[in-house]
Structure formats: structure tokens, C-alpha cells
Amino acid sequence: MNFMQFLKSLDDLLYEIITWLVFYPVTLWRTIRQPFTMMAYADSELEDAPEQQYPDVLSPPLFLLLTLLLSHTIELALVGQSELVAEKRGLAGLISDDTSLLLVRLLFFAVFPLIMAVALLRRRRQKLTRDSLKPLFYAQCYPAGVFALVLGIGSLATQMPGNPLFRVAGLWILLAAFLWYGTLQSFWFARALNISKLRGFGIATVTMLESALVFVLLAALLA
């Protein structure tokens, strides 16, 4: 790569990163307002050529990553460094800085889209392959990003010192996050499987419990 090619690559990278300031809030707002539309959009965009995908929003995995980065930045500003960075027992010993902590959190929250996608394929009796899993996983990354952000805000509120109302507010925020995410998954399964909303609720409940169990088991490894 010559110097001019390097400068061109640097230009493209800088432009891509700076546009996140515009397209992240756009993606977040559209996901909050129209989660099912965004989930369908995530699926359909994978049919386009890679350079033409997601022209007006962030790609789903990138949205999830930037959401966790935003949540982590808020955490640093309000409560300081996470104890996991200083902890050296178990898998926590692998977390030596904010970058590794962010990657671990990305892995944790990617569990929810993954298990939701696998659950739908299983109930459709479709073969589990990379190609069949990817559209469903991408679709689930959008609501998972919102879910992770609200959970992060709620968790931070419970850690705020001083007024106990912060803790109460945090618990309500956590509850609201699970209710929103669970309701969305209930309707998603009902639509995708063409079943009643009640059956969709049952499938969503079981799948969320499975996701939460995997999440807790991973968290236990860091303890």
C-alpha cells in the first residue's frame, strides 16, 4: 500500500467513524419507535451487496457494540471504573482494561440475539447453518441494543450513592427493560411462527429464561 492509498483509507475510516454521531441516534430512535420494522429491515438488507447494506442506519452488530460503548462511557462518568477490571479471579483475570471489558460485555449481550435466533429456527424446523442464522441474529441485534442500554442505565441507577430513590428508580428501569424486551419477543415469535400471541408469549418467556441462564453462567465465570 503506497502513501496515497493509506491516506485514502484513513479518509474513509475517519468519515465512517464521524458519521456514527449522526447514524447512531437515528438507528436508536428508529429502533425504539419501530422495532419490528427495523428487525425486518436488518434481514432484508443482507440480500444487498455488502457495500450497499444499511445506507441510512448502522449495521445491527455495530449498533449493539456502540450501545455498549455508550453505556460503558456513562458508567465511567457516573460511578467510575468497573470492579471487574481490577478483579483477577476466574475469567475476570482476562479483563485488564476497558477494551477487554467492552468485548466481554458484547459477548454477554450477543447471547440474547443468538439464542432468540436459534429458538426461532428450531421451532420452524429449519436447518441451523451460518446462512440461516445470520438474518435472524442481525434482526435481533437492534432490540438487544436498546435492551442493553436501558439495563445499563437501570443498573447504574442502583449503584448511585446517596439518595435511595436512585436505587428504587433503577429497579423500575430494569423491570421496564425486561417488560419491553419480553413483549417485543412475544410478538416477534407470534408473527414469525404465525401463532397466537399467547403461544408467542410462552415461547418468548422460555427463550428469555434460557438466555438469562446462559448470561448468569457466563457472569459466574467472572466471579
Side-chain angles (χ1 to χ4, degrees), residues 16 41-61 134 138 142:
E16 178 66 24
Y41 179 75
D43 188 341
S44 64
E45 282 296 296
L46 290 177
E47 299 174 1
D48 296 339
E51 63 274 8
Q52 296 177 341
Q53 293 174 1
Y54 310 104
D56 55 347
V57 294
L58 297 180
S59 70
K134 186 174 182 178
Y138 268 50
Y142 280 138

Side-chain angles (χ1 to χ4, degrees), residues 127-149:
K127 186 177 181 180
L128 179 61
T129 66
R130 292 180 181 273
D131 290 336
S132 64
L133 183 63
K134 186 174 182 178
L136 301 178
F137 175 79
Y138 268 50
Q140 282 287 338
C141 280
Y142 280 138
V146 177
F147 180 54
L149 180 60

Side-chain angles (χ1 to χ4, degrees), residues 11 18 39 94 102 117 123 130 132 145 153 199 214 218 221:
D11 286 346
I18 202 66
M39 293 172 79
L94 300 176
L102 180 62
R123 284 168 173 79
R130 292 180 181 273
S132 64
I153 293 172
R199 289 187 62 193
V214 174
L218 288 174
L221 294 176

Side-chain angles (χ1 to χ4, degrees), residues 65-206:
L65 173 60
L66 291 182
T67 298
L68 293 173
L69 177 59
L70 173 62
S71 179
H72 182 64
T73 302
I74 296 172
E75 177 185 17
L76 288 175
L78 295 181
V79 300
Q81 186 64 265
S82 171
E83 295 180 358
L84 286 175
V85 175
E87 183 60 68
K88 297 303 178 184
R89 294 180 301 171
L91 289 183
L94 300 176
I95 302 175
S96 58
D97 51 30
D98 291 318
T99 301
S100 54
L101 177 59
L102 180 62
L103 291 176
V104 168
R105 285 177 172 171
L106 178 62
L107 173 64
F108 275 34
F109 280 100
V111 163
F112 286 92
L114 178 65
I115 294 182
M116 293 294 173
V118 171
L120 183 58
L121 285 177
R122 187 172 69 241
R123 284 168 173 79
R124 282 178 170 175
R125 302 186 184 280
Q126 290 181 258
K127 186 177 181 180
L128 179 61
T129 66
R130 292 180 181 273
D131 290 336
S132 64
L133 183 63
K134 186 174 182 178
L136 301 178
F137 175 79
Y138 268 50
Q140 282 287 338
C141 280
Y142 280 138
V146 177
F147 180 54
L149 180 60
V150 180
L151 277 184
I153 293 172
S155 178
L156 287 175
T158 63
Q159 300 175 52
M160 293 293 290
N163 196 327
L165 289 179
F166 283 121
R167 179 175 176 81
V168 175
L171 293 174
W172 278 107
I173 293 172
L174 292 174
L175 177 61
F178 278 100
L179 287 176
W180 178 84
Y181 191 64
T183 301
L184 184 145
Q185 297 303 332
S186 298
F187 282 99
W188 185 68
F189 279 112
R191 291 183 180 188
L193 297 172
N194 195 25
I195 57 178
S196 67
K197 294 181 177 63
L198 182 60
R199 289 187 62 193
F201 172 76
I203 295 173
T205 301
V206 171

